[in-house]
Amino acid sequence: MDNAIPIIQQLHELRSVRPLVHNITNMVVMNNTANALLAIGASPVMAHDKQEIKEVVSLSNALVINIGTISQDVADSMLIAAEHASNIGCPWILDPVGAGISTLRNEVLENLLKLQPTVIRGNASEINALYNFEQVSSKGVDSTTSSLSALARGKALQKKQKAIVCISGEVDYIISETEIIEIHNGNPMMTLVTGLGCTSSALIGAFLGLRQDPFAAATAGVACLSLAGELAYHKAIGPGTLQLHLYDTLYNLSEEDIRNNLKAKHYAYTF
């Protein structure tokens, strides 16, 4: 099957449905996340107070939890939201920003993992840490290892959690119980723009909001961000204009863009 077809179909439906995506997310990237969701065709809501969390989750098509700027109050809201989402069948994605760098993060992540995320997306260092909660070689929230080096841990994490696992890097990997998709789009300059991994998680949340196949949704979210970043790079003169052109590219991303530029490999595997 042409790897572009399900992405094109989902993007068309997303722009028609405009799913509401609830984000409890990184304060550093909240505005970027909202703008990217609007550009792709979704509707963002950013609600963090635990007094309204359940009501907002109930109204939403998907939930995004990103622990980038974690505090105990925000962690409490995340746990309430994730538990309620799991109870009512609302799909949700966990972005374990900085996994392995502190006891607080690891404890929060252990509790969130018990609440059955639909999708987990992180860089190689975060996925490695998330699998066993050991300290890993990292530089803040940046990965110091390649996405390929985390593939075995990603497969093991998928098996353990029964969630779709996405590993971001030079090559992006999307892992299900029986399938892997590799996305070979993107550009190294994307690493110089704050929070594009967080944006990828938010876009996955948008496609999860269609309430279809989580593996296809994760693939579409990762592919659209990486492809948009690559196309935006060709118009940019540096990180600032890359971000500027990224939103415009997401907004204008077309069937032709996806068919002509998507570089993806799809294969079955057994663990």
Side-chain angles (χ1 to χ4, degrees), residues 165-187:
V165 173
C166 305
I167 311 172
S168 295
E170 183 177 356
V171 177
D172 300 315
Y173 295 93
I174 302 96
I175 307 166
S176 77
E177 186 176 4
T178 58
E179 299 172 274
I180 294 176
I181 286 184
E182 300 177 7
I183 304 294
H184 292 258
N185 293 104
N187 184 273

Side-chain angles (χ1 to χ4, degrees), residues 5-254:
I5 292 174
I7 298 170
I8 292 166
Q9 291 173 336
Q10 288 180 91
L11 182 57
H12 177 76
E13 184 170 352
L14 185 148
R15 287 168 170 167
S16 175
V17 173
R18 298 191 65 83
L20 182 65
V21 185
H22 181 189
N23 301 265
I24 308 178
T25 192
N26 187 340
M27 299 296 181
V28 175
V29 302
M30 191 178 298
N31 185 63
N32 300 0
T33 297
N35 283 333
L37 286 168
L38 288 168
I40 197 73
S43 296
V45 58
M46 280 47 182
H48 289 67
D49 194 291
K50 56 189 176 184
Q51 295 187 65
E52 65 174 349
I53 284 296
K54 285 188 177 181
E55 293 173 273
V56 179
V57 171
S58 295
L59 292 172
S60 300
N61 300 105
L63 170 68
V64 178
I65 290 183
N66 176 316
I67 71 161
T69 49
I70 195 70
S71 67
Q72 192 57 63
D73 285 345
V74 173
D76 291 343
S77 293
M78 289 176 173
L79 291 166
I80 293 169
E83 182 175 25
H84 188 57
S86 293
N87 287 341
I88 67 172
C90 176
W92 68 282
I93 176 169
L94 173 63
D95 189 331
V97 178
I101 68 171
S102 73
T103 301
L104 173 62
R105 285 176 195 270
N106 290 349
E107 289 176 350
V108 171
L109 288 169
E110 282 186 291
N111 289 326
L112 286 169
L113 287 173
K114 293 174 184 176
L115 299 172
Q116 301 176 310
T118 312
V119 177
I120 300 166
R121 190 221 60 85
N123 64 38
S125 294
E126 290 161 351
I127 294 300
N128 281 333
L130 202 61
Y131 177 70
N132 61 11
F133 292 105
E134 293 178 353
Q135 295 286 331
V136 295
S137 176
S138 64
K139 185 178 66 177
V141 298
D142 298 326
S143 181
T144 56
T145 56
S146 71
S147 53
L148 179 60
S149 71
L151 186 56
R153 288 279 179 86
K155 291 177 181 178
L157 181 63
Q158 192 287 319
K159 184 177 182 180
K160 180 180 179 182
Q161 288 294 140
K162 308 302 181 187
I164 304 302
V165 173
C166 305
I167 311 172
S168 295
E170 183 177 356
V171 177
D172 300 315
Y173 295 93
I174 302 96
I175 307 166
S176 77
E177 186 176 4
T178 58
E179 299 172 274
I180 294 176
I181 286 184
E182 300 177 7
I183 304 294
H184 292 258
N185 293 104
N187 184 273
M189 190 183 286
M190 294 173 70
T191 63
L192 302 180
V193 177
T194 301
L196 288 191
C198 304
T199 300
S200 182
S201 294
L203 296 187
I204 292 170
F207 286 102
L208 283 174
L210 299 178
R211 304 287 181 98
Q212 298 176 3
D213 174 29
F215 182 64
T219 300
V222 170
C224 284
L225 190 278
S226 292
L227 180 55
E230 180 179 309
L231 295 175
Y233 167 76
H234 295 302
K235 302 176 183 178
I237 60 173
T241 51
L242 175 65
Q243 186 173 33
L244 170 72
H245 289 300
L246 178 68
Y247 298 137
D248 291 345
T249 304
L250 285 171
Y251 179 78
N252 291 295
L253 194 63
S254 67

